[in-house]
Amino acid sequence: MGILTEFKEFAVKGNMIDMAIGIIIGTAFNNVVQTLVKKVLLPPLSYLTDGINYEDKKWVLREANPDLTGDAAKAIEIGYGEFFQVSLDFLVIGFTVFLVVKGMNKLRNKSHDSKDKTVVTPKDIELLSDLKELMKEQNELLSKKS
């Protein structure tokens, strides 16, 4: 019964829903990035390099041999074009995540400034700020008495 209770707490606190939303958005974002790379970034690059299709580029180490059977009949190839495309996907995703995190950090830092009234300050930050001010006042009063 402990596991069910723990799972219920996990689900109710929103962790599971936050994870599900993140996975769904991440999957959709991956599709956007793949389309951006395949349909927007690679065609101009192909045009600039006289029509080279990077997705199909590979080094053939051994040609396919139709006289043989099984794995021996297959060609052995290094698909560097696909690696290039996946690396470009990674760079686009990495840069986008960097920009999102940078923006979120800027908003978080702004919300943690209790004196900035343009954004709502979280309650815990507000309380800590109030405590800090009260302690400062108390220290000033105590230093005047001595």
mmCIF file of all heavy atoms in Angstrom, residues 50-68:
data_model
loop_
_atom_site.group_PDB
_atom_site.id
_atom_site.type_symbol
_atom_site.label_atom_id
_atom_site.label_comp_id
_atom_site.label_asym_id
_atom_site.label_seq_id
_atom_site.Cartn_x
_atom_site.Cartn_y
_atom_site.Cartn_z
ATOM 1 N N ASP A 50 26.678 22.978 -54.769
ATOM 2 C CA ASP A 50 26.365 22.366 -56.072
ATOM 3 C C ASP A 50 25.502 21.119 -55.969
ATOM 4 O O ASP A 50 25.764 20.102 -56.615
ATOM 5 C CB ASP A 50 27.657 22.054 -56.840
ATOM 6 C CG ASP A 50 28.404 23.316 -57.250
ATOM 7 O OD1 ASP A 50 27.723 24.330 -57.492
ATOM 8 O OD2 ASP A 50 29.638 23.271 -57.325
ATOM 9 N N GLY A 51 24.481 21.161 -55.157
ATOM 10 C CA GLY A 51 23.471 20.105 -55.119
ATOM 11 C C GLY A 51 23.837 18.868 -54.325
ATOM 12 O O GLY A 51 23.220 17.824 -54.505
ATOM 13 N N ILE A 52 24.810 18.957 -53.439
ATOM 14 C CA ILE A 52 25.170 17.799 -52.619
ATOM 15 C C ILE A 52 24.058 17.555 -51.604
ATOM 16 O O ILE A 52 23.651 18.461 -50.889
ATOM 17 C CB ILE A 52 26.509 18.027 -51.890
ATOM 18 C CG1 ILE A 52 27.643 18.137 -52.896
ATOM 19 C CG2 ILE A 52 26.778 16.906 -50.894
ATOM 20 C CD1 ILE A 52 28.974 18.506 -52.290
ATOM 21 N N ASN A 53 23.551 16.335 -51.571
ATOM 22 C CA ASN A 53 22.541 15.959 -50.595
ATOM 23 C C ASN A 53 23.272 15.318 -49.414
ATOM 24 O O ASN A 53 23.709 14.174 -49.502
ATOM 25 C CB ASN A 53 21.527 14.994 -51.201
ATOM 26 C CG ASN A 53 20.413 14.650 -50.248
ATOM 27 O OD1 ASN A 53 20.396 15.091 -49.099
ATOM 28 N ND2 ASN A 53 19.475 13.850 -50.703
ATOM 29 N N TYR A 54 23.399 16.049 -48.329
ATOM 30 C CA TYR A 54 24.199 15.577 -47.200
ATOM 31 C C TYR A 54 23.598 14.362 -46.514
ATOM 32 O O TYR A 54 24.316 13.548 -45.950
ATOM 33 C CB TYR A 54 24.398 16.707 -46.183
ATOM 34 C CG TYR A 54 25.413 17.702 -46.651
ATOM 35 C CD1 TYR A 54 25.017 18.861 -47.292
ATOM 36 C CD2 TYR A 54 26.763 17.472 -46.485
ATOM 37 C CE1 TYR A 54 25.947 19.771 -47.747
ATOM 38 C CE2 TYR A 54 27.703 18.371 -46.933
ATOM 39 C CZ TYR A 54 27.283 19.522 -47.570
ATOM 40 O OH TYR A 54 28.220 20.409 -48.020
ATOM 41 N N GLU A 55 22.298 14.236 -46.559
ATOM 42 C CA GLU A 55 21.644 13.120 -45.876
ATOM 43 C C GLU A 55 22.086 11.762 -46.450
ATOM 44 O O GLU A 55 22.190 10.776 -45.738
ATOM 45 C CB GLU A 55 20.132 13.271 -45.991
ATOM 46 C CG GLU A 55 19.351 12.296 -45.155
ATOM 47 C CD GLU A 55 17.855 12.569 -45.194
ATOM 48 O OE1 GLU A 55 17.423 13.549 -45.808
ATOM 49 O OE2 GLU A 55 17.125 11.770 -44.588
ATOM 50 N N ASP A 56 22.375 11.740 -47.754
ATOM 51 C CA ASP A 56 22.743 10.486 -48.414
ATOM 52 C C ASP A 56 24.249 10.266 -48.507
ATOM 53 O O ASP A 56 24.683 9.250 -49.056
ATOM 54 C CB ASP A 56 22.156 10.460 -49.836
ATOM 55 C CG ASP A 56 20.639 10.500 -49.822
ATOM 56 O OD1 ASP A 56 20.044 10.036 -48.825
ATOM 57 O OD2 ASP A 56 20.056 11.006 -50.790
ATOM 58 N N LYS A 57 25.049 11.172 -47.998
ATOM 59 C CA LYS A 57 26.507 11.053 -48.127
ATOM 60 C C LYS A 57 27.020 9.942 -47.218
ATOM 61 O O LYS A 57 26.637 9.836 -46.057
ATOM 62 C CB LYS A 57 27.207 12.364 -47.785
ATOM 63 C CG LYS A 57 26.895 13.503 -48.731
ATOM 64 C CD LYS A 57 27.136 13.156 -50.170
ATOM 65 C CE LYS A 57 28.513 13.453 -50.628
ATOM 66 N NZ LYS A 57 28.755 13.093 -52.016
ATOM 67 N N LYS A 58 27.915 9.110 -47.809
ATOM 68 C CA LYS A 58 28.498 8.026 -47.019
ATOM 69 C C LYS A 58 29.797 7.577 -47.680
ATOM 70 O O LYS A 58 30.015 7.768 -48.873
ATOM 71 C CB LYS A 58 27.527 6.862 -46.879
ATOM 72 C CG LYS A 58 26.980 6.335 -48.184
ATOM 73 C CD LYS A 58 25.880 5.342 -47.946
ATOM 74 C CE LYS A 58 24.996 5.267 -49.190
ATOM 75 N NZ LYS A 58 23.705 4.791 -48.917
ATOM 76 N N TRP A 59 30.640 6.982 -46.867
ATOM 77 C CA TRP A 59 31.866 6.352 -47.355
ATOM 78 C C TRP A 59 31.608 4.857 -47.431
ATOM 79 O O TRP A 59 31.221 4.233 -46.446
ATOM 80 C CB TRP A 59 33.045 6.604 -46.416
ATOM 81 C CG TRP A 59 33.588 7.992 -46.452
ATOM 82 C CD1 TRP A 59 33.892 8.729 -47.553
ATOM 83 C CD2 TRP A 59 33.897 8.801 -45.331
ATOM 84 N NE1 TRP A 59 34.369 9.959 -47.201
ATOM 85 C CE2 TRP A 59 34.386 10.028 -45.816
ATOM 86 C CE3 TRP A 59 33.817 8.628 -43.951
ATOM 87 C CZ2 TRP A 59 34.788 11.059 -44.990
ATOM 88 C CZ3 TRP A 59 34.224 9.663 -43.142
ATOM 89 C CH2 TRP A 59 34.695 10.849 -43.653
ATOM 90 N N VAL A 60 31.835 4.310 -48.579
ATOM 91 C CA VAL A 60 31.619 2.877 -48.771
ATOM 92 C C VAL A 60 32.947 2.168 -48.510
ATOM 93 O O VAL A 60 33.931 2.391 -49.211
ATOM 94 C CB VAL A 60 31.117 2.570 -50.199
ATOM 95 C CG1 VAL A 60 30.943 1.070 -50.392
ATOM 96 C CG2 VAL A 60 29.807 3.304 -50.463
ATOM 97 N N LEU A 61 32.953 1.332 -47.482
ATOM 98 C CA LEU A 61 34.151 0.564 -47.165
ATOM 99 C C LEU A 61 34.197 -0.728 -47.975
ATOM 100 O O LEU A 61 35.268 -1.197 -48.370
ATOM 101 C CB LEU A 61 34.201 0.251 -45.667
ATOM 102 C CG LEU A 61 34.215 1.471 -44.735
ATOM 103 C CD1 LEU A 61 34.165 1.019 -43.288
ATOM 104 C CD2 LEU A 61 35.430 2.333 -44.987
ATOM 105 N N ARG A 62 33.023 -1.296 -48.206
ATOM 106 C CA ARG A 62 32.930 -2.512 -49.021
ATOM 107 C C ARG A 62 31.599 -2.479 -49.760
ATOM 108 O O ARG A 62 30.546 -2.273 -49.150
ATOM 109 C CB ARG A 62 33.001 -3.764 -48.138
ATOM 110 C CG ARG A 62 32.974 -5.065 -48.958
ATOM 111 C CD ARG A 62 33.038 -6.289 -48.091
ATOM 112 N NE ARG A 62 31.724 -6.461 -47.466
ATOM 113 C CZ ARG A 62 31.481 -7.291 -46.455
ATOM 114 N NH1 ARG A 62 32.461 -7.999 -45.935
ATOM 115 N NH2 ARG A 62 30.286 -7.414 -45.960
ATOM 116 N N GLU A 63 31.652 -2.663 -51.036
ATOM 117 C CA GLU A 63 30.436 -2.690 -51.863
ATOM 118 C C GLU A 63 29.626 -3.948 -51.544
ATOM 119 O O GLU A 63 30.180 -4.953 -51.087
ATOM 120 C CB GLU A 63 30.795 -2.688 -53.352
ATOM 121 C CG GLU A 63 31.483 -1.434 -53.845
ATOM 122 C CD GLU A 63 30.543 -0.257 -53.968
ATOM 123 O OE1 GLU A 63 29.315 -0.454 -54.051
ATOM 124 O OE2 GLU A 63 31.044 0.876 -53.943
ATOM 125 N N ALA A 64 28.332 -3.877 -51.815
ATOM 126 C CA ALA A 64 27.474 -5.049 -51.651
ATOM 127 C C ALA A 64 27.872 -6.109 -52.675
ATOM 128 O O ALA A 64 28.211 -5.787 -53.810
ATOM 129 C CB ALA A 64 26.013 -4.665 -51.829
ATOM 130 N N ASN A 65 27.822 -7.359 -52.264
ATOM 131 C CA ASN A 65 28.192 -8.469 -53.150
ATOM 132 C C ASN A 65 26.989 -9.399 -53.294
ATOM 133 O O ASN A 65 26.678 -10.172 -52.392
ATOM 134 C CB ASN A 65 29.388 -9.226 -52.572
ATOM 135 C CG ASN A 65 29.942 -10.242 -53.525
ATOM 136 O OD1 ASN A 65 29.312 -10.585 -54.516
ATOM 137 N ND2 ASN A 65 31.130 -10.744 -53.221
ATOM 138 N N PRO A 66 26.305 -9.334 -54.437
ATOM 139 C CA PRO A 66 25.097 -10.150 -54.616
ATOM 140 C C PRO A 66 25.387 -11.658 -54.706
ATOM 141 O O PRO A 66 24.477 -12.467 -54.563
ATOM 142 C CB PRO A 66 24.483 -9.634 -55.917
ATOM 143 C CG PRO A 66 25.589 -8.927 -56.623
ATOM 144 C CD PRO A 66 26.575 -8.488 -55.595
ATOM 145 N N ASP A 67 26.658 -12.017 -54.928
ATOM 146 C CA ASP A 67 26.999 -13.443 -55.022
ATOM 147 C C ASP A 67 27.000 -14.122 -53.654
ATOM 148 O O ASP A 67 26.885 -15.343 -53.571
ATOM 149 C CB ASP A 67 28.386 -13.615 -55.666
ATOM 150 C CG ASP A 67 28.402 -13.089 -57.093
ATOM 151 O OD1 ASP A 67 27.321 -13.067 -57.727
ATOM 152 O OD2 ASP A 67 29.489 -12.677 -57.558
ATOM 153 N N LEU A 68 27.139 -13.332 -52.593
ATOM 154 C CA LEU A 68 27.188 -13.891 -51.244
ATOM 155 C C LEU A 68 25.812 -13.826 -50.599
ATOM 156 O O LEU A 68 24.911 -13.139 -51.077
ATOM 157 C CB LEU A 68 28.210 -13.129 -50.391
ATOM 158 C CG LEU A 68 29.661 -13.139 -50.917
ATOM 159 C CD1 LEU A 68 30.523 -12.236 -50.062
ATOM 160 C CD2 LEU A 68 30.215 -14.556 -50.924
#
